[in-house]
Amino acid sequence: MGRCLALATRYTSSIKTLKKPLPVNRINEINCYGKVTLKSGASSMLMKMGVPVNFFNKYGYYEGSLYPRLQLNSGLVVVKQSEHYLDPDKRSEIAKEMVLGIKHNLLKSLKYYRKKGKDVDPYIDIIKKERVEGDVPQLMSSEGRMWNAYYQSFNTVLKKFKMVKREIRPPTTELNALISFGNSLLYVSALSEIYHTYLHPSISFLHEPAERRFSLSLDIADIFKPLIVGRVISKLVNNNMISEKDFERDIGVMLNDRGKRIFLKEYQNKLETTIKHPKIKRKVSYKYLMRLEAYKLIKHVLGDQEYESFKAWW
């Protein structure tokens, strides 16, 4: 299983520049934060090796990728994927299943905190009552209301950092900065997994393809957010692994270099955490679960097996 290499610019002059060999054949993706320079030779090698290079701005937002030429091509899958996007009924069928997965995993996450003694029942009730039905705009509205209830539960789950409302561009509170940074990481992790399948990352079902370039990553990432990003944030905050000194203010609030390194380390640990999969009878990582989600979509559009979104079973 490959790993993600994170590159961060260091501004402290006292830190010496170190050269360290990297096992490129074991790297799935490279994420660049701050100012990073890639020489043409390095770029060429990474593209030949099929390693996407993702760039984030200083606020932690994903800006774009140096994306290798697609190594796994299937015209049949792309045609079928497009057909399922263009047919409103087929598209909403997939989108509905995705939102059902999001709903299940939101509830699973909140029930975990209830076992920890947190009073999250009001938010569980709101999400339980939300009906997942209708066309894609209706499904997205339903998803938005569930996310709003989930984020409001952070005021009960977390020991510090209050959630007033979700803000993204730019985040104006520490908690919004944590959520935005985590979501950006998960987005590129999903993109990396899609790259290793026959799916085209720009053809999505829940999010509009025109919204972002690789919108299928948003579809898949949303299903896993509660179990990956939410859990990373709660661990960092409730164990005092991150504090006010790990943020800085500009036009908004963002993690500083130390804060990003702390978040990245815990995020990578979560991605590499393995669980026993009941169907394939072996341990798989959280990250590989996203690739399995892409495989399920391929089977669905090809008519081999009806898509059933990931729903945490543990």
Side-chain angles (χ1 to χ4, degrees), residues 66-191:
L66 184 60
Y67 205 68
R69 183 176 59 189
L70 289 175
Q71 295 177 326
L72 297 175
N73 289 308
S74 171
L76 176 62
V77 170
V78 175
V79 168
K80 292 295 184 182
Q81 190 180 353
S82 302
E83 282 181 3
H84 280 72
Y85 166 75
L86 292 170
D87 186 311
D89 292 334
K90 290 181 178 179
R91 181 185 172 189
S92 61
E93 179 186 3
I94 297 174
K96 179 181 177 181
E97 184 55 33
M98 288 176 166
V99 177
L100 286 172
I102 294 168
K103 180 178 182 178
H104 175 93
N105 294 327
L106 287 171
L107 290 171
K108 196 77 176 179
S109 179
L110 290 177
K111 289 175 181 176
Y112 166 82
Y113 296 121
R114 183 168 64 185
K115 290 180 180 177
K116 298 287 184 181
K118 304 293 185 181
D119 182 19
V120 293
D121 282 348
Y123 310 105
I124 290 176
D125 291 340
I126 292 172
I127 295 174
K128 276 185 175 179
K129 291 176 182 175
E130 192 64 44
R131 301 179 67 176
V132 180
E133 59 186 12
D135 56 18
V136 171
Q138 289 173 308
L139 291 169
M140 291 204 72
S141 296
S142 175
E143 182 202 11
R145 289 190 291 270
M146 289 191 285
W147 281 113
N148 182 60
Y150 174 74
Y151 286 135
Q152 288 302 316
S153 77
F154 281 14
N155 289 321
T156 301
V157 170
L158 302 181
K159 293 180 179 178
K160 57 186 176 184
F161 299 143
K162 291 298 180 184
M163 170 58 74
V164 178
K165 63 178 180 179
R166 180 77 179 101
E167 298 170 317
I168 53 175
R169 291 186 183 271
T172 58
T173 65
E174 289 85 354
L175 183 52
N176 274 304
L178 287 170
I179 296 170
S180 293
F181 189 66
N183 288 349
S184 292
L185 293 177
L186 190 59
Y187 169 62
V188 296
S189 295
L191 177 61

Side-chain angles (χ1 to χ4, degrees), residues 27-30 44-54 65-74 81 187-202 214 216-217 220 287 290-291 294-295 298:
I27 295 173
N28 273 357
E29 65 194 45
I30 295 178
S44 177
M45 182 192 68
L46 291 169
M47 295 305 97
K48 289 178 181 175
M49 297 292 292
V51 180
V53 184
N54 306 303
S65 298
L66 184 60
Y67 205 68
R69 183 176 59 189
L70 289 175
Q71 295 177 326
L72 297 175
N73 289 308
S74 171
Q81 190 180 353
Y187 169 62
V188 296
S189 295
L191 177 61
S192 175
E193 295 308 302
I194 293 169
Y195 175 74
H196 294 284
T197 74
Y198 291 115
L199 288 173
H200 197 290
S202 296
F214 299 127
L216 185 60
S217 301
I220 292 179
K287 185 169 187 179
M290 288 189 278
R291 191 180 303 187
Y295 289 153
I298 292 174

Side-chain angles (χ1 to χ4, degrees), residues 3 20-28 49:
R3 301 185 63 188
K20 183 179 179 181
L22 299 171
V24 67
N25 59 332
R26 294 179 55 195
I27 295 173
N28 273 357
M49 297 292 292

